[in-house]
Amino acid sequence: MLRSFWALGLSALALLAAIPAVNADEPAYPASLVAPTEPLTPEQQRTKFRLPPGFEIQLVASEPDIHKPMNMNFDAQGRLYVTSSLEYPYPAGEGSPHRDALHVLVDENGDGRADRVTRLVDGLNIPLGVTPIDGGVLYYSIPNIYRTPPDGGPHEKSELAYSEFGYRDTHGMANSFTRWIDGWIYACHGFANDSQVAGQDGHQVTMHSGNTFRMRADGSRVEQYTHGQVNPFGLAFDPLGNLFSADCHTLPIYQLLRGAWYPSFGKPHDGLGFGPTMIGHDHGSTGIGGVVYYAADHFPAEYRDTVFIGNPVTGKVNRDRLEVHGSTFKAIEQPDFIACDDPWFRPVDLQLGPDGALYVADFYNCIIGHYEVPLTHPRRDRHRGRIWRVVYTGGQTKPATTIPDLTRLPAEKLVELLGTDNLTLRVLATEALVGRSASGGKLPDGLLPHGDDSQPSAWRRAHGMWVAERLKGLDDAAVERLAGDPSALVRVHLVKLLAERPDWNASDLDIALLVRSKLADPDAFVRRAAADSLGRHPDPANLPLLLDLWSSTPAEDTHLVHVARMALRDQLLAPSMYAAAQELMAQDDSYRGRLAEVSLGVHTPAAAEFLLACLADDRLGGASLGSAVYEAARYAAENKLGNVFQVAEGLDLRPNEQREVLLALHRAVQSRGRALPETTLGWAGRLAKQLLADDRPGRVQGGIELARELRLGLYDELHQIAAAGSRFANLRSAAIDACMANEPVRSVGLLSEIIGDAGEPMALRQKASASLAGINDPAAQGELTRHLLAAPERLAVEIAAGLALRPEGAHTLLDQVQAGKASPRLLQERVVQERLRAINRRELDQRLSELTANLPPADERIRQLIHQRREAFAAAETNADQGRVVFKKTCAACHRLNGEGTKIGPDLEGIGLRGADRLLEDMLDPSRNVDQAFRSTVLTTVNGDSISGLLLQEEGEVLVLADAEGKEVRVPASDIDERSLTQLSPMPGNVADLVKDEEFFNLLAYLLEQRQKEE
């Protein structure tokens, strides 16, 4: 599936010049969004590839045998299974034919080309993840995961395995099914969708947007594996069992740690911080599809144990060499592995074949993204798709092997294959042995041989132990022997294997003692596996060992440090464990700070009580003050909540620290559906008044924030800062918000004054208009209508949008237009139209159509505006360095670029390749083409007021939004009467008004410099 780089100009694109529209009725898009070329035949495309010397790319299959390929996987017979789609990007609705299919490709003569392509399952709806399993195939088709009969057949004959998965966004659903030797199938959960999925055992997982999970092939159980990432699409294991993901819009690859949380848009971590990174570059793109850890000996040595990444945005396959620091990989960027002079090349999935070749699913399309170009664009291709095979023909290594049919091999040959150098083949042989021996009831001979430490023997011992374990034939003697194996790979797998055993007391062997001993193993990967294993088997004896592991691990081994911290967190989830922690601290109090730090991720009353004690004693260690207060107040037992306020009020803190504590207390009790006690509110009021009276802008800003969030009153003080002539000009907007939060009706006069004052900055007048529109009061509506008559166009748009929020205001707006007192062109503004239509009243829709019937298209007006701005930009002297300053001031509250800013909205890496026209469009008309995940949520309170912004999360009894300025707005669920999702971007459409012309052009110059590195 093509990885989107979202709305608002958000990702690096292929380096191509802007081109004219394909026809007069089609808007002009840069060639980086819609390739100007016509499609090539597979043979023509093959000649356009560029690979390193000695490599050759070969066609495996193409249209018409398959359509848009998305995921691939091999089975034990060497057949390649492929999901492909005609429907994408729109799912087929009920009653409509489902035309997609699961294909199986068979190479009968061993030349790598598919000689036979069979539609194994018909009638699918945008199928993604697929993997062969014992007795059939597991696949995803909207909205569930299904299991086929052995011979496939119509979709109706498939059995439901897991239900059901969200599909609001069709380029991010259940994908990348990846079998591993532990018997689980690992998978990605895609962007913007919400899913609640359970196995037959009743255990349920709830996933919001990007996540990874694992499941049993028989439908018995599903488990969450990691939390977060934006849109993971691609998984791969290395020989040690480390799992790598390809992700869209965070970083290209992560080495995933079980139970870790990873960055996504505006979403929090679990309290321990986000899982560590392994890569510091983005390969010129934030859209990635498919990842392979190359573990075979067909490619030359320099390409082995490296990572290949599909990059459908740039039309390349990237490569990274992995540098080991303890148990942490650092990706070192290498020259691109595959490039193509046909801009339709879109690699979305990669697989290491059992023959040693690299297989590439090519979504072949002239359009690169999901939302960047309308889904209805006429050039969006639905039919073409290719699968390629990359082999090495340079003669320095062994040739690509013919893929064996493992189902025809005797058991002793399968055992031999457990030691082959090809990881895919080893995994397939492992599964074949488990499936065959499970029915025969006997372990294969030679499964766990004694031997030297040669690599094939180590692989064979590692895979062999998993076969024996899954067949319940790994006895204590074998475990003890393997625990002392000279190969770190074998020891890693043994500890991972033991972690999967639910009951360590079921064996005569002291497994806990054995695993604890591995915390001192000379190999860091073994130590990491041991820490993770202990995290799944809490015991008081684990605490000091894990704490010592954390303190003794070099800081550069970020992955081991994080696993040690998560393992400690998991120990402390048992309430009784804090008693053990107290005993431990009585012996050595130096442990207290680290235990406080990990307690931030525990979220239990016991953890809250422990953190409160640490607060009272001023011994928080690495835990931040605000986080500790929040956790203590959020999760304290009901009868202990008063203690939290008492301790907090008794802390000896500087004013800014007091503000941090008060905000944490407020947010915590708000999430509980509670309010702060009067004594705490009194403390907050005194502090806010002190801060507002300060001469330092930072202190004043803190006072405004405190007054706004806690609704402390102080209207007169806030009004002084918000009104004209304020000595804190840069804080007036924040002060307006605080006035509105405290006394909205009383704020009508203040807002009206600002709107009507032509000497005020346009951006502030627009801000006042939006604020006034949110007040459910006849006086507010009257003032908006009064100012509409004389407002300049840019202000009139904001006023019209405000009137369109409510039915009575909408009728007033249409009356003004009909009477000739307001321009009908206001009704063409996207924000105005969307709000009018959202009211969903036939008479309004009819009047809107009548009043705009004879107007030129709105798009033409935007084109003219962009043209005017571009001409002015071309004539201006610009300074990109100053543009970076403007970015940090104006955009960084929501967007990240070059490591600066906040990840609430999409990243802007590589945005310059969109060109000036598209960047101007994104700034001046941001709601034209906005991703579902970045559409504004509108809340109507029980008082009738309106609040809008980007919904970040639901935190207990509170909804958290980001407003147009990137500020958090927290709304108690009890205050909400209605909630709706609009088609509008929360990005302000008045960027040009927020900055002076010179600054605007400098910002544009800076953004245009952000381009993919030239080859």
Side-chain angles (χ1 to χ4, degrees), residues 122-190:
D122 270 316
L124 304 185
N125 196 1
I126 311 187
L128 284 178
V130 59
T131 187
I133 58 174
D134 191 22
V137 181
L138 203 70
Y139 67 89
Y140 170 82
S141 176
I142 291 174
N144 304 313
I145 293 176
Y146 300 90
R147 187 170 50 250
T148 70
D151 298 324
H155 176 57
E156 292 74 22
K157 291 187 176 181
S158 293
E159 178 184 351
L160 181 66
Y162 295 99
S163 177
E164 78 177 35
F165 291 81
Y167 58 95
R168 181 177 65 142
D169 189 288
T170 59
H171 80 308
M173 301 182 288
N175 70 81
S176 305
F177 295 178
T178 304
R179 299 212 71 166
W180 188 234
I181 58 177
D182 57 7
W184 290 91
I185 297 167
Y186 292 75
C188 299
H189 181 266

Side-chain angles (χ1 to χ4, degrees), residues 598-651:
V598 297
S599 292
L600 297 177
V602 178
H603 313 317
T604 65
E609 189 169 352
F610 175 70
L611 284 167
L612 186 60
C614 292
L615 274 167
D617 295 339
D618 194 21
R619 288 187 291 180
L620 284 174
S624 75
L625 175 64
S627 297
V629 170
Y630 176 86
E631 290 291 318
R634 175 71 177 88
Y635 297 103
E638 194 67 29
N639 62 347
K640 299 290 181 68
L641 188 55
N643 296 348
V644 179
F645 300 121
Q646 184 177 358
V647 169
E649 291 176 31
L651 296 174

Side-chain angles (χ1 to χ4, degrees), residues 330-346:
K330 294 295 182 185
I332 311 299
E333 189 171 8
Q334 303 297 299
D336 295 323
F337 184 62
I338 302 176
C340 189
D341 293 328
D342 179 0
W344 287 53
F345 175 54
R346 309 296 184 193

Side-chain angles (χ1 to χ4, degrees), residues 76 82 191 217 375 467 636 674 713 896:
V82 180
F191 171 71
L375 300 182
V467 174
R674 299 279 301 274
R896 281 185 66 81

